Amino acid sequence: MTQKEQQQQTVVVVGGSSGVGLETVRRMAATGARVIATGRDNGKLQEAIGGLGANVSGAAFDACDRGALDAFFDRVGPVDHLVLTLSGGEGAGEFAQLDLRSLRRGFEAKFWPQLEAAQAGARVLRKGGSLTFVTAISARNSLPGTAGLAAINGAIEAMVGSLARELKPSRVNAVSPGLVDTPWWDRVPAAMKDDLFRQQVETLPVGRVGRPQDVAHAIQFLIENGYTTGTVIECDGGLRLV
């Protein structure tokens, strides 16, 4: 994709006010593309994207609200690339004691909003564009205590190939991150986070935890590479290997 072609592209990042979503907004804005970031909290969203350039704008709405999603995509019109970084925080735990109500909330926070946004956005996705989901390596690394998370993220990944064929010539892919240091971890006690991250630094083949930039880089590749579809890229530092 040439620089001129990039500058003519419209990229929508649903969940673009922090973490991987915000870093994706930054990366795509730097290419000159018109980028629209969405988030639930308008104040947080505007603060996050402030200073990123005149080609970046924000739209605040609850992605769990299908009516709001439809209204948003009707308003922004045709888009070239749609990135879905919505996530939740529930669904983990040993299976015998797993709170299935928590797992249901995990599906409601990640699986259903990504699915709803994909369906709503596909109506205005330009032919030859791209749709990129963000899942998690829990879908494929078989780690005890993550069966619920595997169900949520695996459900999304299971659709990628079928959607790639249904939506052709537009492309459908996903990025599957491992442990990434994002604001999501702010909800975890600092000592617990530090201990977990230290363990991962000692265990992961790459010798460090992930950064939002790592995952955003993979997303950018999927946006720009017109010969990749039906693919899940593992961006996990080798977590699936240990």
Side-chain angles (χ1 to χ4, degrees):
M1 187 181 300
T2 67
Q3 184 176 8
K4 183 177 180 180
E5 288 173 332
Q6 289 175 330
Q7 291 173 345
Q8 296 173 341
Q9 302 281 293
T10 297
V11 180
V12 172
V13 181
V14 180
S17 63
S18 67
V20 170
L22 179 57
E23 191 58 38
T24 302
V25 172
R26 289 195 183 102
R27 290 189 73 93
M28 297 314 301
T31 70
R34 175 194 178 216
V35 185
I36 306 171
T38 83
R40 183 177 299 177
D41 185 321
N42 187 56
K44 177 182 177 182
L45 176 62
Q46 296 303 325
E47 181 179 0
I49 65 175
L52 293 185
N55 55 324
V56 178
S57 60
F61 59 87
D62 185 349
C64 294
D65 181 343
R66 179 56 185 265
L69 279 165
D70 287 335
F72 165 73
F73 284 112
D74 286 343
R75 185 170 68 254
V76 300
V79 301
D80 297 283
H81 306 285
L82 174 58
V83 180
L84 307 176
T85 67
L86 299 163
S87 186
E90 298 191 70
E94 294 185 6
F95 184 71
Q97 290 82 36
L98 181 60
D99 182 348
L100 298 186
R101 292 170 299 181
S102 173
L103 177 57
R104 186 182 297 274
R105 290 192 296 270
F107 268 94
E108 293 291 343
K110 183 168 186 176
F111 173 79
W112 285 110
Q114 287 210 22
L115 183 64
E116 295 271 17
Q119 190 180 62
R123 296 184 297 105
V124 297
L125 190 65
R126 286 195 176 101
K127 291 187 181 301
S130 73
L131 167 60
T132 305
F133 296 92
V134 177
T135 61
I137 201 62
S138 56
R140 52 187 62 213
N141 73 338
S142 304
L143 184 67
T146 65
L149 299 177
I152 296 168
N153 292 290
I156 297 173
E157 292 186 6
M159 299 188 299
V160 169
S162 296
L163 290 179
R165 297 190 68 181
E166 283 191 33
L167 300 181
K168 65 180 183 181
S170 295
R171 298 174 294 105
V172 181
N173 297 288
V175 176
S176 180
L179 185 68
V180 181
D181 190 1
T182 69
W184 185 92
W185 288 98
D186 293 346
R187 72 188 74 185
V188 176
M192 183 183 299
K193 172 186 173 182
D194 291 344
D195 185 54
L196 175 61
F197 278 32
R198 177 187 55 77
Q199 292 176 26
Q200 291 301 307
V201 168
E202 295 171 354
T203 303
L204 287 172
V206 298
R208 66 173 177 85
V209 300
R211 297 185 291 263
Q213 294 91 329
D214 298 317
V215 185
H217 191 188
I219 293 170
Q220 183 178 5
F221 166 80
L222 291 174
I223 288 174
E224 295 179 350
N225 190 293
Y227 202 57
T228 303
T229 192
T231 296
V232 179
I233 292 183
E234 296 164 339
C235 185
D236 67 342
L239 180 59
R240 70 196 180 282
L241 306 174
V242 300

